Amino acid sequence: AAILFILVHRFTINEKIEHQDIKKLVLAAFFGVTLNQLMFFKGLSITTPVNAALIMTTTPILVLVLSAIILGEKITWVKVLGILLGAIGAIMLIGGTNFSFQSDTIWGDLCILVNALSYGTYLILAKPLMKKYQALTIVRWTFTFGFIMIVPFGLQEFISIPVDNITSDVLLAMAFIILFTTFLAYLLNAWALKIVNPSVVGFYIYIQPVL
């Protein structure tokens, strides 16, 4: 996905980043790509999908609180009510009472919570950068820096992939994940941040249970 972002950016915009913004992009990459993805996949492997989906409903709440603290975004009763209604609806769709927070899933549950918090932090960090740069520029550099930071954690597992077991179905699934749920998802997410507040972007996570 990082390679795809780099190539598309190179042949379309090729916008340069000012030196003082590099640290901000590294932070955005850490929270939006590295910590976000590592915690999600690790958490999902040691907790239940229902628990993970339920915990992810906290993301809009975390984004709203962080937006108020860091960006000074106003918390209104309409926003609070909207988020509460969205959370209740999402929880009902996820399975109502078909979840259980127990000692054997606690570390996985905490990883998913860190994932939700890190994604919310990414939205907050990326918003000011959107005022200066194109959306494609932001995601290009967040994925570039994110890739560099994630290599030490994923290199060993990548090397040990059983290449002979990679069928055409697996390749198609990987291509779908890279192109649609990563490349387009992050690009559209970044483009949306140029127009609306982070709390609005975070709220749309409640569509996931419906899908």
Side-chain angles (χ1 to χ4, degrees), residues 156-169:
Q156 186 57 48
E157 291 187 5
F158 181 77
I159 292 173
S160 59
I161 291 175
V163 181
D164 295 337
N165 294 344
I166 300 179
T167 63
S168 57
D169 289 342

Side-chain angles (χ1 to χ4, degrees), residues 36-54:
N36 178 27
Q37 296 298 322
L38 286 176
M39 289 294 99
F40 177 75
F41 286 113
K42 182 60 179 178
L44 194 59
S45 70
I46 53 179
T47 189
T48 65
V50 175
N51 279 19
L54 181 65

Side-chain angles (χ1 to χ4, degrees), residues 21-201:
D21 292 324
I22 292 177
K23 289 183 179 179
K24 298 175 184 177
L25 281 167
V26 171
L27 271 178
F30 174 73
F31 287 105
V33 179
T34 309
L35 186 63
N36 178 27
Q37 296 298 322
L38 286 176
M39 289 294 99
F40 177 75
F41 286 113
K42 182 60 179 178
L44 194 59
S45 70
I46 53 179
T47 189
T48 65
V50 175
N51 279 19
L54 181 65
I55 295 170
M56 288 299 291
T57 62
T58 63
T59 299
I61 300 170
L62 295 171
V63 172
L64 184 64
V65 173
L66 289 173
S67 294
I69 296 173
I70 299 174
L71 299 180
E73 184 179 335
K74 188 177 180 181
I75 298 179
T76 64
W77 284 109
V78 174
K79 289 182 180 179
V80 173
L81 181 61
I83 285 177
L84 288 176
L85 287 174
I88 292 169
I91 291 168
M92 291 173 66
L93 285 170
I94 289 165
T97 59
N98 296 327
F99 55 87
S100 177
F101 297 110
Q102 300 175 349
S103 58
D104 56 341
T105 64
I106 184 65
W107 291 112
D109 296 334
L110 286 174
C111 285
I112 297 297
L113 184 60
V114 172
N115 158 253
L117 182 59
S118 66
Y119 178 71
T121 304
Y122 161 72
L123 294 179
I124 304 302
L125 293 172
K127 177 64 178 179
L129 292 170
M130 293 299 169
K131 296 178 180 179
K132 296 181 64 175
Y133 306 104
Q134 297 288 333
L136 184 57
T137 301
I138 301 301
V139 289
R140 176 256 169 99
W141 285 108
T142 53
F143 268 79
T144 300
F145 292 133
F147 169 75
I148 293 170
M149 287 185 280
I150 216 165
V151 164
F153 300 96
L155 183 61
Q156 186 57 48
E157 291 187 5
F158 181 77
I159 292 173
S160 59
I161 291 175
V163 181
D164 295 337
N165 294 344
I166 300 179
T167 63
S168 57
D169 289 342
V170 172
L171 288 174
L172 285 172
M174 291 170 62
F176 180 85
I177 291 169
I178 292 169
L179 182 59
F180 292 102
T181 67
T182 306
F183 179 81
L184 283 178
Y186 270 84
L187 182 59
L188 291 173
N189 185 293
W191 180 77
L193 275 174
K194 292 182 70 69
I195 304 170
V196 298
N197 291 325
S199 59
V200 177
V201 176

